[in-house]
Structure formats: structure tokens, C-alpha cells
Amino acid sequence: MKYLRLIPALLLGAMLTACNTTKKLYEAQEYDQVIQRVAPDICDGDMNASRINMVAASYHKANQADHERIQALKASGQPDVWPEIYQRYCSMKGRNEALKCFPTKVKNGMNYVKLDLDEDMTVARNHAEAFLVAKANQLLNTGTSADALEADSYIEQLWHTNKDNSSLPELQKKSLLRQAERVLVTIDNDDERPLLRDFVDVVLHFDAGEVPANVVPATRRMRLRSDDAEVRVVISDVQVTPDRLDEVTFKENNGGKTVEVTDHAQYKTVTLTGAIKYYDPYDYRSLASVPFEVKSTFKNDYTTIKGDRDACSAETLSRLNTKPIPVPTDESMLIDAAKRLNDLIASELKK
């Protein structure tokens, strides 16, 4: 029986402790924490008058403080104020949503009004994103690791403002490359066709000054260090078309003379598709993925005739100087595609 008596006492003690903690939060002007702690209970039917009054006061005081701060920031006219303006609008909307489930009588008693902040938030968010992208790029373009580290704070703010911002992957990639002691570039082959050793060597061979100094081509497996970044060139598909010869035959007449003209076209193409992926060394997640498609194309046109050469038009005569040539091998065209992929990678790493 004594245990049964103990349970209500424990519950009462817990309630008193919770009330005491909420009061302390209110006195410390931690108004959002008061709302987060008490609002769900009111939505569930707790009609304790003192707690309702505390939430109401917290709601109005917090919103008033945010409103005054927003007005002061806008009056400054500075571009760097918009991230804070947007976050304060978010806080106001969050409080409004937290109290939306209150009974109508309670909302009327505390002068609750549904706030329409969507348009203001959209404007503030657009300005905030523009500032954060510009500031992060400014720091990243200096090329120093210290500035790149500072840029991370703006990139993080951008993520919290809009994680779907189109500039975010590029900024994360640039920050990663600027801060890394080494950027290891590796090749992964997801296609069934095995890659030639010469192909890998060509893709990863960069001339002096072609890429940043911290880029290290990893032609063999190298252990990643904590201050490294990894760029993986993932080749997902290799397409080699068969040798193709297209022919078109027609006749030309001149002064009663006739000639049969055949235009020949030799074709062959190698296409590499895949993605350049950038990995964070801390949790090995892909920060950005840049798809690519590179082609090596062989095309040769030549013309042959049967009949009287004097019947040929001037245009046909000009084409008779071209001749058929041997179609390049698959291997030679793959190496040519590798050179094009090398140029693309170098361009990416220098952005």
C-alpha cells in the first residue's frame, strides 16, 4: 500500500518540478523554450490558467522582440542582415503554428491571430540566399584554406536557409577542394568493359599548372588521411559504335556526258558517360556529383566516280581529292576520349 501512496507523490513532485523549470525559463526570457515545453500540453487539453498565461506572454513578447529587430535590420539597408531577418520570420511562423491547435476560447483570450508571413518570408529568403552565396564565393575565390574555412559558416547558413539551393553543391565542392591538404583523384569503372591501363594513365595525367597544386592523381590505391579529399571519376558506361560506311549514289550530266558519283561517309564514335563525385573525408558522403559525357568521333567523307570525269560538276571534282582512310581502332579512340575526359576533369578542379 505504501508504494501506491508513493506514486501520486512522485507525480506531484514531477509536476511541481516542471512548473518550476518553466517559470525559470520564462524569467530568463527563454520564451521559445516555454512555448515548446507547454504548448503541446495545452493542445492536449491542459487548461491550467497560469501556464496558459505564461505561454501567451511568451508568445507576444517573443514576436514583439522579433518584429522590432526585423524593422531595425531592414532600416540598416545592409545586405548581410537578411539571413537573420529570415530566421526571425521563421521563428514567428513556428510560434504561430505551435499555438494553432489551441482551443478557440484560449486563442481568443490571448489575442492569437493567424500570421500571414509567407510573402515576407519568401522575399527575406531570396535576399538571404543571394547574400550567402555571394559571400561564400567571395571567400572561396581567394584560394586560401583559411578563407575557405570561414566560407563554411556561410555555406552552413545557406543549407539551413534552403537546403535545395542550386549553388549549394558547387560551394561545398569548392570549399572541400580549397581546404584539403591533398585532393586524391581516382577512377572507378562501373562498365563491363575493362579499362586499359594506358586509358587510366591518360585520364589522370595533368600537365604542370593544369590543376591546383594539391591535386594528386591516384593511379594506385592510396590511403586517405583526415585532411584529404577524394574526387572519384566514375565511368558508368562505355559505348563504341561499329564501323559505319554510308553511301549515296547519283548521276551527273554535262554536254552529253554522264558520270555516276558516290559520296561515302565513314563513321565511328566512342562515348564515355559517368560522374565526377566529391567526397567529404570526415563522413565519406558525396558532397557533389557532376555528370559528364565525352565523345571521340571519327568521320571521313570521300567521293568516287564511275564514268566520264568531264561530266563531273566543280563541286564533285573538289571532293575527289579526299580518300578513304583506315578507321581507328577501339583502343586508339578510347585513348582520345581519355584525353577529352582529362581536360574536362582539369576544368572542373579549377572552378
Side-chain angles (χ1 to χ4, degrees), residues 5 22-23 26 45 48-49 55 76 105 123 131 190 223 252 287 303 327:
R5 292 173 182 168
T22 303
K23 185 178 179 182
Y26 178 78
N48 182 290
V55 168
S76 73
K105 184 177 180 180
V123 172
F131 165 73
D190 290 345
R223 178 172 293 184
E252 290 185 347
L287 290 178
T303 299
V327 178

Side-chain angles (χ1 to χ4, degrees), residues 197-216:
R197 180 65 192 181
D198 288 347
F199 176 92
V200 176
D201 290 340
V202 169
V203 171
L204 297 182
H205 176 75
F206 302 105
D207 294 331
E210 189 178 11
V211 293
N214 61 345
V215 171
V216 179

Side-chain angles (χ1 to χ4, degrees), residues 186-202:
T186 62
I187 292 184
D188 279 355
N189 181 26
D190 290 345
D191 185 77
E192 295 180 355
R193 178 190 295 265
L195 295 178
L196 303 169
R197 180 65 192 181
D198 288 347
F199 176 92
V200 176
D201 290 340
V202 169

